[in-house]
Amino acid sequence: MKRLERKHPLAIRWFHWINFPILAVMVWSGLLIYWANAVYRVGVGKHTLFKMTIPEHLYEKWHIAFRLGWGLSFHFFFMWLFAINGILYVLYTIFSGEWRYLLPDRRSFIEAIQVTLYDLRLRKEPPPQRKYNAAQRIAYTAIIVMGLGSLVTGLAIYKPVQFAWLTYLFGGYQMARFFHFWLTIGYVVFFVVHIGQVVRTGWNNFRAMIIGYEVHEVPNE
Amino acid sequence: MNDEDVGRGEQEVGGEQEERRVDQEVGGEQEERRVDQEVDETRAEGKDASPPTDTPPPASHISPPTSDVDGQVRRLSRRGFFVAGVSAIAAYGGWRWLTNASRMGDVPWPLRRTLETNEKLSEAYFRERRLSPTFPASMITNARINGGIGLNANYDMSAWQLNIDGHTLNLADIQAFPKREMITEFRCIEGWSYIAKWSGARLADVMAKFPPPPDTRYVAMETPGRAYYVGLDMQSAMHPQTLLAYELNEQPLTWQHGAPLRLTIPVKYGIKNIKRVGTIRYTNVRPADFWAERGYDWYAGH
């Protein structure tokens, strides 16, 4: 037997889906900016595992070379949309009480390990699943903290004299830029895992993010 | 919809009233409320009003046969995916419109307008007393050379002179002003930066000797021959760290760094730090700016 259950409030669905293209544009325009000084790498000490760059011909092929001015213009336009949407989302979760389902609590960190082990098929019994499981709570809260991190590191790079104290807090101009970059890589990692989990969880769960409701199977008597 | 019914239904279970009230506060959900009502009605029949979220219903709590769940899902989906589709098309249309909008300074005009709005905010927040951080000499890094527009190796330095608002100065005239020294970070708009020691005259000191009319808004600077040119807002020009520099790291400027005299302005990106300044003008008409004509922010300020 089936039953409809309300899952995602309309406001959260809108915030979520509005954020998606905005963040995509921010990442893309950020890449246009990064092209001009693609200096980051993954490595230990002086040993470089790989450089955070792509071959020159791919920059050309994907039309992301020599577009710094264009990238900055888009970045400084969409930053407002990204910030406003994010702030409204946070305010909404606070005033609606939705934060209760989203913020991790004392148990979340232990449970998140159980969730991870279960998802990796290293553990048989399913962890407690409420509206969001512990790993989701941590992920969905972390992504908001990351968003805030992007805004403040962005401000530290954008206005390093007027907000010199902020730039100093991040360890200087280049360090602020470093954090700003790696937060973006964090979004990309989040996105990949998020998409993977959504695919695994299935249509009913995905549809709930569009229509707000989820169909639940209820065992027959 | 009868909100009270829902409230009561939830109260029977207890603990979830708050959440339900929240749902009701979200506007524009008539259709969903109707569905909610249907759901609640069917639940009420079977004395099942389990909380809709968070805690899964206990296995003993059996929902009544709700044969219309499929129908409700169909209806919700039709509407939800319709709105999603229309929004996606609208977003795509908005993107097409934005990227194809007529160009202003080589970027779509809405982006240029936004840069100008950002500029107004930046100017309002700007304070002359906020300084670009200074560093000890031990932190000086390699002064990267970038951009040689308007520069050439065989330039006749003896022929150089600075024209400021119609007055002609030579290098000795500039060096007669109090010599200011600072170790600051030079930040290129490309993202790299270096720390260097600059020595020169404060632009504000030089301008005080050849004062612009009151309420002059801009300062324009050009290389001799005007191959490269920048525009500055007055408060950035008057900033105490804005120097007409003749030394870099205690050595006279090389031609690549803009000998004999360049602007060094840490409240701006490198693109505004014009090398080999030949002309300084005061104007109330926003001066042309080499890189602003090529898709960059005119203000480019920190």
Short mmCIF file of all heavy atoms in Angstrom, two decimals, chain B residues 246-268:
data_model
loop_
_atom_site.label_atom_id
_atom_site.label_comp_id
_atom_site.label_asym_id
_atom_site.label_seq_id
_atom_site.Cartn_x
_atom_site.Cartn_y
_atom_site.Cartn_z
N TYR B 246 59.60 56.35 -8.81
CA TYR B 246 60.77 56.34 -9.69
C TYR B 246 61.77 55.27 -9.28
O TYR B 246 62.79 55.10 -9.93
CB TYR B 246 61.42 57.73 -9.77
CG TYR B 246 61.46 58.50 -8.46
CD1 TYR B 246 62.42 58.22 -7.50
CD2 TYR B 246 60.50 59.49 -8.20
CE1 TYR B 246 62.44 58.93 -6.30
CE2 TYR B 246 60.51 60.18 -6.99
CZ TYR B 246 61.49 59.91 -6.04
OH TYR B 246 61.49 60.59 -4.85
N GLU B 247 61.47 54.57 -8.16
CA GLU B 247 62.36 53.49 -7.75
C GLU B 247 61.55 52.25 -7.41
O GLU B 247 60.48 52.34 -6.81
CB GLU B 247 63.16 53.89 -6.51
CG GLU B 247 64.32 54.83 -6.80
CD GLU B 247 65.02 55.29 -5.52
OE1 GLU B 247 64.82 54.66 -4.45
OE2 GLU B 247 65.77 56.28 -5.60
N LEU B 248 62.10 51.12 -7.79
CA LEU B 248 61.54 49.84 -7.40
C LEU B 248 62.64 49.07 -6.67
O LEU B 248 63.74 48.89 -7.22
CB LEU B 248 61.07 49.06 -8.65
CG LEU B 248 60.72 47.59 -8.46
CD1 LEU B 248 59.59 47.39 -7.48
CD2 LEU B 248 60.36 46.95 -9.80
N ASN B 249 62.34 48.64 -5.46
CA ASN B 249 63.33 47.95 -4.63
C ASN B 249 64.64 48.73 -4.57
O ASN B 249 65.73 48.18 -4.71
CB ASN B 249 63.54 46.52 -5.13
CG ASN B 249 62.29 45.68 -4.94
OD1 ASN B 249 61.51 45.91 -4.01
ND2 ASN B 249 62.07 44.74 -5.83
N GLU B 250 64.52 50.03 -4.37
CA GLU B 250 65.63 50.96 -4.16
C GLU B 250 66.50 51.17 -5.39
O GLU B 250 67.58 51.75 -5.28
CB GLU B 250 66.45 50.54 -2.93
CG GLU B 250 65.58 50.48 -1.67
CD GLU B 250 66.33 50.10 -0.40
OE1 GLU B 250 67.45 49.60 -0.52
OE2 GLU B 250 65.78 50.33 0.68
N GLN B 251 66.07 50.68 -6.53
CA GLN B 251 66.80 50.92 -7.78
C GLN B 251 65.91 51.76 -8.70
O GLN B 251 64.69 51.61 -8.67
CB GLN B 251 67.09 49.59 -8.49
CG GLN B 251 67.97 48.64 -7.70
CD GLN B 251 69.36 49.22 -7.43
OE1 GLN B 251 69.99 49.78 -8.33
NE2 GLN B 251 69.81 49.15 -6.19
N PRO B 252 66.55 52.63 -9.51
CA PRO B 252 65.74 53.36 -10.49
C PRO B 252 64.96 52.37 -11.35
O PRO B 252 65.45 51.27 -11.63
CB PRO B 252 66.78 54.12 -11.32
CG PRO B 252 67.99 54.20 -10.44
CD PRO B 252 67.98 52.97 -9.58
N LEU B 253 63.79 52.76 -11.76
CA LEU B 253 62.95 51.86 -12.56
C LEU B 253 63.67 51.45 -13.84
O LEU B 253 64.33 52.28 -14.47
CB LEU B 253 61.65 52.57 -12.96
CG LEU B 253 60.64 52.90 -11.88
CD1 LEU B 253 59.47 53.67 -12.49
CD2 LEU B 253 60.15 51.65 -11.19
N THR B 254 63.55 50.19 -14.21
CA THR B 254 64.01 49.76 -15.53
C THR B 254 62.93 50.13 -16.53
O THR B 254 61.79 50.42 -16.15
CB THR B 254 64.23 48.25 -15.55
OG1 THR B 254 62.99 47.62 -15.22
CG2 THR B 254 65.30 47.83 -14.55
N TRP B 255 63.26 50.10 -17.81
CA TRP B 255 62.24 50.49 -18.80
C TRP B 255 61.05 49.54 -18.78
O TRP B 255 59.92 49.95 -18.98
CB TRP B 255 62.85 50.62 -20.19
CG TRP B 255 63.24 49.31 -20.86
CD1 TRP B 255 64.46 48.70 -20.81
CD2 TRP B 255 62.39 48.48 -21.66
NE1 TRP B 255 64.43 47.54 -21.52
CE2 TRP B 255 63.18 47.37 -22.06
CE3 TRP B 255 61.07 48.57 -22.08
CZ2 TRP B 255 62.66 46.34 -22.86
CZ3 TRP B 255 60.57 47.54 -22.88
CH2 TRP B 255 61.35 46.44 -23.26
N GLN B 256 61.33 48.23 -18.47
CA GLN B 256 60.22 47.27 -18.42
C GLN B 256 59.25 47.59 -17.27
O GLN B 256 58.09 47.23 -17.32
CB GLN B 256 60.73 45.84 -18.22
CG GLN B 256 61.55 45.31 -19.37
CD GLN B 256 63.04 45.43 -19.09
OE1 GLN B 256 63.48 46.39 -18.46
NE2 GLN B 256 63.80 44.46 -19.57
N HIS B 257 59.77 48.23 -16.23
CA HIS B 257 58.90 48.60 -15.11
C HIS B 257 58.38 50.02 -15.25
O HIS B 257 57.72 50.53 -14.34
CB HIS B 257 59.65 48.42 -13.78
CG HIS B 257 59.66 47.00 -13.30
ND1 HIS B 257 58.52 46.33 -12.94
CD2 HIS B 257 60.67 46.11 -13.14
CE1 HIS B 257 58.82 45.09 -12.57
NE2 HIS B 257 60.12 44.93 -12.69
N GLY B 258 58.69 50.66 -16.38
CA GLY B 258 58.05 51.94 -16.66
C GLY B 258 58.89 53.17 -16.43
O GLY B 258 58.36 54.24 -16.13
N ALA B 259 60.21 53.03 -16.56
CA ALA B 259 61.10 54.17 -16.37
C ALA B 259 60.68 55.33 -17.28
O ALA B 259 60.20 55.08 -18.39
CB ALA B 259 62.55 53.77 -16.69
N PRO B 260 60.85 56.55 -16.88
CA PRO B 260 61.47 56.94 -15.60
C PRO B 260 60.46 57.09 -14.44
O PRO B 260 60.87 57.12 -13.29
CB PRO B 260 62.07 58.30 -15.94
CG PRO B 260 61.13 58.87 -16.97
CD PRO B 260 60.61 57.70 -17.75
N LEU B 261 59.16 57.15 -14.77
CA LEU B 261 58.18 57.41 -13.71
C LEU B 261 56.90 56.62 -14.00
O LEU B 261 56.39 56.66 -15.12
CB LEU B 261 57.84 58.91 -13.65
CG LEU B 261 56.99 59.36 -12.47
CD1 LEU B 261 57.83 59.38 -11.19
CD2 LEU B 261 56.40 60.75 -12.72
N ARG B 262 56.43 55.93 -12.99
CA ARG B 262 55.19 55.17 -13.18
C ARG B 262 54.26 55.41 -12.01
O ARG B 262 54.67 55.92 -10.96
CB ARG B 262 55.48 53.67 -13.29
CG ARG B 262 55.92 53.07 -11.96
CD ARG B 262 56.02 51.57 -12.01
NE ARG B 262 54.72 50.95 -12.19
CZ ARG B 262 54.56 49.65 -12.40
NH1 ARG B 262 55.62 48.86 -12.48
NH2 ARG B 262 53.36 49.14 -12.53
N LEU B 263 53.03 55.02 -12.21
CA LEU B 263 52.07 55.09 -11.11
C LEU B 263 52.10 53.77 -10.36
O LEU B 263 52.14 52.69 -10.97
CB LEU B 263 50.66 55.33 -11.67
CG LEU B 263 49.57 55.47 -10.60
CD1 LEU B 263 49.69 56.81 -9.89
CD2 LEU B 263 48.18 55.33 -11.21
N THR B 264 52.12 53.84 -9.04
CA THR B 264 51.92 52.62 -8.26
C THR B 264 50.79 52.91 -7.28
O THR B 264 50.84 53.84 -6.50
CB THR B 264 53.22 52.12 -7.61
OG1 THR B 264 52.92 50.99 -6.82
CG2 THR B 264 53.88 53.17 -6.75
N ILE B 265 49.74 52.12 -7.44
CA ILE B 265 48.49 52.42 -6.74
C ILE B 265 47.91 51.13 -6.16
O ILE B 265 47.18 50.41 -6.82
CB ILE B 265 47.51 53.19 -7.69
CG1 ILE B 265 46.18 53.48 -7.00
CG2 ILE B 265 47.32 52.48 -9.03
CD1 ILE B 265 45.31 54.51 -7.73
N PRO B 266 48.28 50.80 -4.92
CA PRO B 266 47.89 49.50 -4.35
C PRO B 266 46.38 49.35 -4.10
O PRO B 266 45.93 48.24 -3.85
CB PRO B 266 48.64 49.43 -3.02
CG PRO B 266 49.57 50.59 -2.99
CD PRO B 266 49.12 51.58 -4.01
N VAL B 267 45.61 50.45 -4.20
CA VAL B 267 44.16 50.30 -4.07
C VAL B 267 43.53 49.91 -5.40
O VAL B 267 42.30 49.88 -5.52
CB VAL B 267 43.46 51.57 -3.51
CG1 VAL B 267 43.91 51.84 -2.08
CG2 VAL B 267 43.70 52.77 -4.40
N LYS B 268 44.38 49.63 -6.39
CA LYS B 268 43.86 49.17 -7.69
C LYS B 268 44.63 47.94 -8.14
O LYS B 268 45.77 47.69 -7.71
CB LYS B 268 44.05 50.27 -8.75
CG LYS B 268 43.29 51.55 -8.51
CD LYS B 268 41.82 51.40 -8.79
CE LYS B 268 41.09 52.73 -8.67
NZ LYS B 268 39.63 52.54 -8.64
#
